Amino acid sequence: MNNSESGFRHGVAGNYAFFLCILAAAPASAASSENDVAPLNYFLHSYGPASTPTMVLGWVFAALLIAIFSSIALLLVWAVFRKRPAVDPRSIGREDEGMPWIYIGTGISTGILFALAIYALITLNAIANPTHAPALTLTVTGYDWWWKVEYEDDDPTRSFATANEIHIPVGQPVLVKLKSADVIHAFWVPMLAGKTQMIPGLANQQWIQADVEGVYGGQCTQYCGVQHAHMSLEIVAQSEDEFRTWQDAQRGEAEMTAGINAGKSLFLDRCAGCHAIRGTEAVGAHAPDLTHLNSRRLIAAGLLTNTPDHLAQWITHAQDLKPGARMPSMALTATELNALSAFLSTLN
Ligand code: HEC
Ligand SMILES: [Cu+2]
């Protein structure tokens, strides 16, 4: 995965001027992060047409609210220091001199709120549909606490599933169908689109488009249980060619190299009830598909980088690393773990 050219840093600094007071730390943390995945606080920036109108709406709201807050604060200060005229005892109980201002104030507030409501509706309409037909449709299903990602094809042998990492071609609208397997989740990739709920039994959808190559962070934004915070995903926007290459590789079944039989039969015994590996008898559907496990950068929905060490730790200590996760810590001897690791290392 080549994200050294990722575009998140382009033009980011200038936009911060306005929000500097609140977000002063953000550019620094972006530059020093170990990889180029843009942090979620970049929702103040847009990298595609599905999120630009919403971002502008956010800035307009923020600017207006700051202006209103400041003027009220100034009026309060003025009221504190204003010298009152001496009180005429006969006027007590007659407070109506201020009445016109109450009407004027209510009128101004109503006008502003009404204009904002219309602006919000116009924005909703502007992002409802992509400008041209989606280049790709995929289905993302929320599970406690990971994402299943399915790329369907009319030819079922070309369909495949992966987890927590979504690849899309850059500059193209992509339709994302959103489902849930258990409770309500919400799909949110702030730099590419607003969030959309994933509700059990309901078919929702939204479209996303990335105009700059790179890796965009996403997160479940509907509290869904103990590991909600560890339910993140990555969108990898690639050139058309890179995307096709990735897609063709994902379509392939697992390659069974020699010398991994012990690990494979252990996997079929212990793991296949939940996990699938295409090309083997493992067809479990309610855990991440592991056919091309090693093509993914992270495991456990963003919790760990995908290294042989982390994989081994995850398999034997899933419940310590992600307490409550729907995978038990597997009791395996060192020999078994080695055999299993050798087998998993072939899943490219
Ligand atoms: C009871 C079902 C179950 C069993 C049995 C099980 N797993 Fe899992 N596994 C899961 C679930 C669910 C997840 C996703 C957990 C999460 O991210 O919250 C997972 C995640 C993983 C991941 C990370 C995948 C990714 O892309 O994030 C690996 C690797 C893995 N399991 C390997 C194994 C191995 C190897 C075994 C057998 C020794 C095994 N699992 C047994 C349910 C199971
Ligand atoms: Cu959640």
Side-chain angles (χ1 to χ4, degrees), residues 320-341:
D320 299 322
L321 295 164
K322 192 169 177 178
R326 301 288 191 248
M327 168 161 159
S329 297
M330 306 298 291
L332 297 163
T333 65
T335 329
E336 286 173 329
L337 187 59
N338 281 340
L340 204 51
S341 299

Side-chain angles (χ1 to χ4, degrees), residues 145 184-186 220-224 228 231:
W145 290 277
I184 303 178
H185 301 278
C220 178
T221 41
Q222 176 65 56
Y223 181 72
C224 56
H228 164 64
M231 184 169 170

Side-chain angles (χ1 to χ4, degrees), residues 182-213:
D182 37 48
V183 298
I184 303 178
H185 301 278
F187 179 85
W188 192 41
V189 185
M191 286 179 296
L192 301 183
K195 76 166 187 170
T196 303
Q197 300 246 301
M198 311 163 92
I199 298 165
L202 195 83
N204 245 347
Q205 64 178 48
Q206 79 173 137
W207 66 284
I208 55 174
Q209 176 173 331
D211 284 343
V212 181
E213 282 181 39

Side-chain angles (χ1 to χ4, degrees), residues 144-146 163-164 227 230 266-267 270-275 286-290 293 296 298-302 311 314-315 322 325-328 330 332 340 344:
D144 272 342
W145 290 277
W146 61 282
N164 308 324
Q227 289 297 342
H230 291 132
L266 253 173
F267 188 90
R270 309 284 298 274
C271 325
C274 298
H275 291 282
H286 296 287
D289 184 302
L290 301 180
L293 171 65
R296 303 202 275 271
L298 302 169
I299 55 166
L311 270 180
W314 169 258
I315 293 165
K322 192 169 177 178
R326 301 288 191 248
M327 168 161 159
M330 306 298 291
L332 297 163
L340 204 51
L344 294 179

Side-chain angles (χ1 to χ4, degrees), residues 35-335:
N35 50 66
D36 271 359
V37 183
L40 293 164
N41 61 8
Y42 273 27
F43 69 96
L44 295 169
H45 306 281
S46 161
Y47 288 88
S51 58
T52 304
T54 332
M55 180 197 65
V56 175
L57 179 89
W59 284 95
V60 169
F61 268 61
L64 201 73
L65 298 187
I66 288 172
I68 292 173
F69 178 83
S70 318
S71 36
I72 291 176
L74 284 176
L75 284 173
L76 271 174
V77 172
W78 175 71
V80 166
F81 289 103
R82 186 175 69 126
K83 256 218 154 30
R84 281 178 169 281
V87 180
D88 172 0
R90 283 167 303 174
S91 73
I92 289 175
R94 288 178 46 228
E95 298 279 341
D96 49 12
E97 308 102 72
M99 271 328 252
W101 280 107
I102 292 179
Y103 294 121
I104 293 168
T106 311
I108 293 174
S109 311
T110 311
I112 291 176
L113 287 173
F114 199 67
L116 287 181
I118 290 173
Y119 179 27
L121 289 175
I122 291 171
T123 305
L124 272 180
N125 187 50
I127 56 167
N129 294 302
T131 44
H132 56 279
L136 176 74
T137 300
L138 44 94
T139 303
V140 178
T141 309
Y143 280 82
D144 272 342
W145 290 277
W146 61 282
W147 312 82
K148 179 193 272 185
V149 185
E150 289 166 293
Y151 289 74
E152 284 119 16
D153 198 288
D154 294 338
D155 173 0
T157 61
R158 289 162 66 82
S159 302
F160 64 89
T162 178
N164 308 324
E165 191 180 298
I166 301 175
H167 288 238
I168 60 171
V170 74
Q172 307 266 11
V174 173
L175 187 68
V176 185
K177 295 186 180 169
L178 297 166
K179 298 199 292 192
S180 168
D182 37 48
V183 298
I184 303 178
H185 301 278
F187 179 85
W188 192 41
V189 185
M191 286 179 296
L192 301 183
K195 76 166 187 170
T196 303
Q197 300 246 301
M198 311 163 92
I199 298 165
L202 195 83
N204 245 347
Q205 64 178 48
Q206 79 173 137
W207 66 284
I208 55 174
Q209 176 173 331
D211 284 343
V212 181
E213 282 181 39
V215 184
Y216 299 86
Q219 171 67 34
C220 178
T221 41
Q222 176 65 56
Y223 181 72
C224 56
V226 283
Q227 289 297 342
H228 164 64
H230 291 132
M231 184 169 170
S232 49
L233 70 141
E234 282 184 1
I235 305 255
V236 183
Q238 297 172 299
S239 70
E240 185 76 24
D241 280 354
E242 279 176 335
F243 172 73
R244 296 281 162 226
T245 310
W246 174 84
Q247 196 179 32
D248 288 342
Q250 296 288 316
R251 280 175 177 148
E253 295 188 334
E255 282 166 32
M256 291 299 138
T257 45
I260 52 162
N261 279 334
K264 183 182 165 193
S265 51
L266 253 173
F267 188 90
L268 293 178
D269 267 6
R270 309 284 298 274
C271 325
C274 298
H275 291 282
I277 296 182
R278 273 176 300 122
T280 73
E281 297 92 275
V283 291
H286 296 287
D289 184 302
L290 301 180
T291 312
H292 297 288
L293 171 65
N294 298 319
S295 72
R296 303 202 275 271
R297 199 178 75 82
L298 302 169
I299 55 166
L303 184 69
L304 300 167
T305 48
N306 188 359
T307 64
D309 260 6
H310 284 162
L311 270 180
Q313 284 168 26
W314 169 258
I315 293 165
T316 49
H317 294 87
Q319 288 305 315
D320 299 322
L321 295 164
K322 192 169 177 178
R326 301 288 191 248
M327 168 161 159
S329 297
M330 306 298 291
L332 297 163
T333 65
T335 329

